[in-house]
Amino acid sequence: MTPINRVRIATRRSALALWQAECVAAALARAHPGLDIELVPLSTRGDEILDRSLASIGGKGLFLKELEVAIGEHRADLAVHSMKDVPATLDARFALTSVLERADVADAFVSKVAAHPTDLPPGATVATSSLRRQIQLKALCPELICVDVRGNVNTRLAKLDRGEFDAMILACAGLDRLGLSARIRARLLPPAWLPAVAQGALAVEYREDDHRVRDLLAPLVDPDTAIRCAAERAMNAVLEGSCDVPIAAHARRDGDRIALHGAVGDPTSGEIVRAFDVGAADRPEELGRRVARTLLDAGAARVLANRPAH
């Protein structure tokens, strides 16, 4: 059993994952002086298999599995994730909470030859392994060519610098957190360009019955971030979101109200189904489910029914 004053944090080994884990560790240390905090770096299948797209090897959940095993086997007490990488439905043995203030939700356009996707010449190549980003890019600039790219942020940027493609789309939050904001040529902003569900937010996963860890995390919860992510993830849960179909969302809170944009893309036709609604900030899940139903009625049901089988 873990000593009462000790917490072990499971994390992936990439620079960004370690930054996120250290950020949460620092926040825990501030909230609980004297707490003994240990990082437990692990490698995941999502990090190891880099020659195929995430959708073809099982989706973003591959970034979580080994960390969940470590928590379940009591080799770690919690794990830090990018909330956007956490599947819509969580294993019942675990609980999830968002922590700290949400970072920039926007996607970043990175290039040495253009300041914006619309400035690229026809036939230029843009690297991203995200179907959500690919379909929005095709809608904005149909003449551009999307190419898959895997690896951590620095590996991807090195490929861009070697001239393997003309531009790349990454998350602004990751670049900002790694001190690489200067690489961003344009921030692709909602609602015109929608981010991944809960993009920019940090999540902590722990054993559902571990009330000690739950109580330690309580001071780290940012109410605004929690409400916005709850709306987006509720929408995603109804849609049974995965890497197979591009799903995007962005919630914005204004006092006691919350507005939610949602979208589902068809990888085959390039069609993007969109929905928007406003609801009470104290009932974010209700709003998320309502936007999901609107998307389904508007054509998303057909798209989701045709998703590839694994």
Side-chain angles (χ1 to χ4, degrees), residues 95-238:
L96 189 76
T97 186
S98 60
V99 294
L100 309 179
E101 184 178 356
R102 190 175 188 176
D104 190 343
V105 304
D107 276 337
F109 176 75
V110 182
S111 176
K112 288 189 170 184
V113 299
H116 191 272
T118 54
D119 296 330
L120 287 170
T125 54
V126 181
T128 173
S129 58
S130 161
L131 289 176
R132 173 190 59 82
R133 289 168 177 156
Q134 290 177 13
I135 202 165
Q136 290 187 98
L137 183 65
K138 282 294 187 182
L140 180 66
C141 305
E143 70 281 3
L144 299 180
I145 298 172
C146 294
V147 295
D148 281 330
V149 62
R150 295 287 312 284
N152 62 44
V153 172
N154 287 315
T155 298
R156 298 185 191 199
L157 289 174
K159 292 181 178 181
L160 176 66
D161 292 341
R162 288 196 298 267
E164 295 186 20
F165 21 76
D166 300 301
M168 178 183 295
I169 300 177
L170 298 166
C172 286
L175 292 170
D176 289 339
R177 286 166 175 160
L178 291 174
L180 297 170
S181 304
R183 298 298 303 260
I184 301 172
R185 299 297 302 275
R187 293 179 187 255
L188 306 176
L189 302 172
W193 181 289
L194 291 178
V197 170
Q199 183 159 310
L202 294 182
V204 173
E205 186 177 14
Y206 58 98
R207 291 183 296 275
E208 193 276 335
D209 61 356
D210 194 338
H211 297 166
R212 180 185 75 99
V213 167
R214 181 197 62 193
D215 293 343
L216 287 172
L217 293 170
L220 276 62
V221 175
D222 177 72
D224 182 76
T225 297
I227 288 170
R228 294 167 62 197
C229 289
E232 295 173 18
R233 284 182 58 80
M235 184 201 86
N236 199 36
V238 172

